[in-house]
Amino acid sequence: YQRRVHGEMLKQEPLHVHLSSPIYVLGDIHGNFDDLKFFLRGLLTFDNAVYTANSFLFLGDYVDRGRASLPVILYLLAMKVLAPDQFYLLRGNHEVGDSNGWIDHYGEGSFRYQCIERFGQANGDLAWLKLNQVFHHMPLAATVDDKIFCVHGGIPRPLGNDAGADRLAPLSDRSFFPEFHTLHPVPTDTPLQAQARQLALDIVWSDPADDEEELDTLGFRDSTKRGGGVLEFGSIAIDMFMARHGFEYIVRAHEMKQEGLRVSKHAKVITVFTSSSYCGLNNGSAAIFVSNGKLRFICRLPTQQAF
């Protein structure tokens, strides 16, 4: 029943949601309930969305790595049910079964491992499967005030050979997107499915390039750190994309930053990460408040306590 409620609710939202400020934007949580609790206690008026005028946009990667993946995602889904017009949950690269089911790689940090640990083998696998079916319906992108493009990873490459085409147009038609269990290429895909999968892959996996070397004429290159068909994008790609869609900023998550934030690419790209002490590191976490045409940063200083 819970999966049906969440799945049907999310299916009613477009894959590209258009939101208005004031709004808080949070990045990767990765099973870190302590940081989620820290920020929501400070940002929810009287700990209740009913009394809170602002909305909340989460940029994905709720599960894996941290040991509280189940509490994090169940809490956020509950908030989505209680306040559907205030809580928006985008899909990250870990809201995909071939990432969050990889027990051999993530060990006890694996979302699937934690489901099995909590509910037993059969019921745990069933819970993991049902929650991944909910993830399939999550939006992939959001725009705030028509000026701020928000995603988990980054901007998509041009579709086909037309660099000036509207790359986000396919997100307006949910029938264009099957319920992907993986975002990486599948040999049996039709041409339209392959195009949709590539678009989703770019949105949840890509990163801004650290330099402007060896980029193609459209400003992209193969990732130097992720592989698997993932791209990095440089200033040319950013300028073309923002000019085409009228955006002023790109806000994304996907990469740990020491203070929880990084402003790059001539202050056009902002990375936000909302999980401190990530994998035992001494990093901070952050959120962004968008209001009155301004972006304000809220940072939690690093602590020595690993989650």
Side-chain angles (χ1 to χ4, degrees):
Y1 173 77
Q2 184 184 53
R3 178 186 67 84
R4 186 164 64 249
V5 169
H6 291 135
E8 291 302 319
M9 180 176 292
L10 290 170
K11 278 200 293 187
Q12 301 308 310
E13 292 182 342
L15 290 168
H16 181 190
V17 292
H18 293 265
L19 308 174
S20 300
S21 60
I23 190 169
Y24 293 104
V25 183
L26 294 88
D28 300 45
I29 306 293
H30 275 304
N32 188 337
F33 197 80
D34 182 63
D35 272 298
L36 178 63
K37 181 173 63 176
F38 171 84
F39 282 101
L40 290 186
R41 276 185 173 174
L43 305 180
L44 279 172
T45 305
F46 299 118
D47 288 331
N48 195 321
V50 172
Y51 306 111
T52 305
N54 310 304
S55 299
F56 296 82
L57 173 63
F58 293 82
L59 302 182
D61 277 15
Y62 314 106
V63 302
D64 286 337
R65 305 287 191 183
R67 291 288 283 140
S69 291
L70 266 171
V72 165
I73 190 57
L74 292 178
Y75 180 87
L76 289 174
L77 289 174
M79 294 302 294
K80 179 64 179 175
V81 171
L82 293 171
D85 296 325
Q86 289 176 273
F87 276 73
Y88 295 89
L89 310 178
L90 299 189
R91 191 177 189 180
N93 63 298
H94 282 265
E95 280 67 64
V96 182
D98 57 5
S99 291
N100 63 52
W102 195 3
I103 295 177
D104 288 345
H105 181 72
Y106 295 110
E108 294 183 359
S110 164
F111 180 48
R112 185 178 184 183
Y113 177 96
Q114 292 175 37
C115 288
I116 295 171
E117 182 183 46
R118 176 65 180 83
F119 300 115
Q121 184 72 55
N123 289 333
D125 271 335
L126 182 61
W128 171 77
L129 176 64
K130 297 300 185 183
L131 283 165
N132 270 283
Q133 289 174 352
V134 173
F135 297 160
H136 297 162
H137 302 300
M138 286 179 168
L140 290 169
T143 298
V144 176
D145 296 337
D146 296 323
K147 295 296 183 182
I148 305 170
F149 182 65
C150 302
V151 286
H152 180 72
I155 61 177
R157 72 192 85 186
L159 298 173
N161 298 319
D162 187 358
D166 183 353
R167 304 176 210 175
L168 302 179
L171 297 178
S172 64
D173 183 4
R174 272 193 173 269
S175 65
F176 184 74
F177 278 82
E179 294 184 16
F180 291 143
H181 299 272
T182 178
L183 300 179
H184 293 283
V186 173
T188 56
D189 275 348
T190 66
L192 283 178
Q193 287 174 331
Q195 190 178 63
R197 202 183 297 271
Q198 175 183 290
L199 175 60
L201 175 73
D202 291 346
I203 284 174
V204 304
W205 270 104
S206 65
D207 299 296
D210 291 331
D211 55 54
E212 300 294 316
E213 303 297 324
E214 299 182 3
L215 299 170
D216 63 23
T217 56
L218 298 176
F220 293 90
R221 71 184 181 200
D222 290 335
S223 176
T224 58
K225 50 193 171 186
R226 297 192 190 272
V230 177
L231 293 182
E232 295 175 349
F233 51 93
S235 294
I236 293 174
I238 293 166
D239 290 343
M240 291 177 62
F241 179 78
M242 294 176 76
R244 173 63 179 81
H245 296 282
F247 297 139
E248 295 179 359
Y249 299 100
I250 296 168
V251 175
R252 41 91 64 178
H254 197 37
E255 293 182 286
M256 188 277 290
K257 301 301 176 185
Q258 182 59 35
E259 305 301 328
L261 282 162
R262 184 184 180 190
V263 179
S264 62
K265 300 301 179 184
H266 307 289
K268 296 176 182 176
V269 177
I270 302 167
T271 299
V272 57
F273 197 82
T274 316
S275 183
S276 63
S277 301
Y278 178 65
C279 295
L281 300 174
N282 190 33
N283 65 287
S285 57
I288 299 172
F289 181 49
V290 182
S291 179
N292 297 321
K294 296 181 180 180
L295 285 75
R296 296 175 172 87
F297 302 152
I298 307 164
C299 298
R300 186 183 193 187
L301 296 178
T303 66
Q304 293 294 333
Q305 181 179 358
F307 68 86

